[in-house]
Amino acid sequence: MNINRDFMFDKVNFFLKKENKFFTSSEVMNIIALEAPRRVAEDINFPKSNLSAVLVSGAWTVNLSSDFIKIDPDKDVTFKYSGGTIKLKPKLQKDIGRDTILTADPSTPEYFFPEDEDTIGVYPPSSSGILVIPFVKEPTSLSSTNASNELTQNCYMAMIYWTVGDCMLKDGDSEKYETYIKLYDAEIIRLRRRFGEMYDEQHDVIPHEDYI
């Protein structure tokens, strides 16, 4: 069975009609196409990618790619240089001190930290090398008719539950919101268990028989 955006849209509308809730097609489609896939990706740490940035001596910031959601919690941020490859440890900038960063001599970085929403910093400022940042990325857009992406085939019920729950929240129905978010959370747990080691490889997942 080919699962795509329009299939999920029909399923969401089925649940909304069942709950006597009415939303415009554009409202529902916006959640399905943008918000729900991002939320699922963040919660299951998939799809994954890597950002490799060449740092010259003295550099201490790297701009993140536009599809960055978060650093992959299952993998290490590393720095490759002439002496080998080392694992960088996470730290907050406030615990280092901005003045300390700006006045430090270039060396082999030991820590990485969020500089802002679009930038990762390292400390000490780097000697020459390559910073490798594994990250969870935005799934491919579901903006077109019958569109599918990395999540639709195996994670569609999670996206459906999230979309319905978000509609309940927007409608001010907190009780129904909690109902569908609990279903979403259960589906996320099912997906994590089914895929095992956080999607290091793609797997063929058979949808639950109640979901078709």
Side-chain angles (χ1 to χ4, degrees):
M1 180 173 62
N2 181 33
I3 309 297
N4 55 43
R5 183 195 71 171
D6 300 271
F7 173 91
M8 293 191 293
F9 177 78
D10 290 341
K11 289 289 187 181
V12 168
N13 278 326
F14 168 80
F15 283 112
L16 292 177
K17 288 178 182 178
K18 178 181 175 182
E19 303 292 357
N20 291 315
K21 306 291 184 181
F22 301 96
F23 291 82
T24 66
S25 296
S26 60
E27 286 177 308
V28 174
M29 198 64 79
N30 185 63
I31 301 172
I32 291 174
L34 300 173
E35 298 174 26
R38 181 184 175 90
R39 177 57 186 255
V40 172
E42 185 170 2
D43 285 345
I44 65 173
N45 301 320
F46 182 83
K48 298 174 182 283
S49 189
N50 284 300
L51 172 64
S52 295
V54 177
L55 299 183
V56 299
S57 181
W60 63 277
T61 60
V62 171
N63 292 326
L64 299 170
S65 58
S66 59
D67 60 351
F68 178 92
I69 293 180
K70 66 177 183 178
I71 290 177
D72 187 346
D74 305 314
K75 297 185 178 180
D76 297 325
V77 175
T78 58
F79 184 72
K80 299 178 180 180
Y81 68 117
S82 58
T85 300
I86 60 169
K87 171 185 172 181
L88 272 61
K89 294 170 283 190
K91 206 174 182 87
L92 295 177
Q93 188 193 86
K94 66 177 184 177
D95 294 331
I96 303 171
R98 191 172 182 83
D99 289 341
T100 300
I101 297 169
L102 294 175
T103 57
D105 293 328
S107 182
T108 303
E110 298 179 39
Y111 304 100
F112 70 92
F113 54 88
E115 165 66 5
D116 56 39
E117 288 185 353
D118 303 314
T119 311
I120 291 291
V122 298
Y123 177 80
S126 76
S127 53
S128 298
I130 299 174
L131 183 68
V132 179
I133 303 173
F135 67 97
V136 178
K137 70 173 186 174
E138 293 269 7
T140 303
S141 170
L142 296 175
S143 58
S144 60
T145 301
N146 293 323
S148 59
N149 64 15
E150 306 93 325
L151 301 179
T152 47
Q153 193 66 30
N154 297 322
C155 309
Y156 63 92
M157 280 309 302
M159 288 189 281
I160 289 168
Y161 287 145
W162 177 260
T163 301
V164 177
D166 199 39
C167 288
M168 297 299 120
L169 184 64
K170 287 177 168 59
D171 196 54
D173 192 333
S174 58
E175 182 177 348
K176 291 291 176 60
Y177 167 76
E178 291 294 335
T179 296
Y180 283 97
I181 291 306
K182 284 179 181 178
L183 290 170
Y184 170 81
D185 290 341
E187 183 66 5
I188 290 298
I189 291 170
R190 185 186 81 87
L191 288 167
R192 286 173 176 167
R193 288 174 178 168
R194 196 68 181 261
F195 275 85
E197 289 297 317
M198 290 295 187
Y199 301 86
D200 283 339
E201 299 179 0
Q202 289 280 3
H203 301 268
D204 292 328
V205 175
I206 302 172
H208 191 286
E209 58 269 20
D210 293 339
Y211 297 163
I212 300 175

